[in-house]
Amino acid sequence: QVQLVESGGGLVQAGGSLRLTCKASGDIFSIISINAMGWYRQAPGKQRELVAAIIRGGSTNYADSAKGRFTISRDSAKNTVYLQMNSLKPEDTAVYYCHADRIATNDNYWGQGTQVTVSS
């Protein structure tokens, strides 16, 4: 089993920056077999959407709205993934969730979410 804990959310003015952190813990064998980790967000009344993901081997992908502003990175030694968010806009306001998947076992894991609020 894998547990994911997010931190770093908060209130920021438009144009500001936040850095989200996701720490994975639990069964070390499950953790090291994770195929991909990513960040999703969900605003009230909207579907949860992928913001950024990083795959085993280091490749990344971003939502169009995040390209050029957000950067996903990882520290494998610390089992931690980060999302650096710059030039934040009010439309970025949402609960941001960390996600991990293990394709081999069809398992996926979610953090509890962290609120990001961007004021105009």
Side-chain angles (χ1 to χ4, degrees), residues 12-43:
V12 65
Q13 293 183 340
S17 298
L18 286 172
R19 188 194 194 197
L20 306 184
T21 298
C22 175
K23 172 68 176 179
S25 62
D27 183 345
I28 187 63
F29 297 104
S30 296
I31 293 173
I32 64 176
S33 67
I34 289 172
N35 181 69
M37 295 188 69
W39 291 93
Y40 290 71
R41 67 187 180 191
Q42 188 167 21

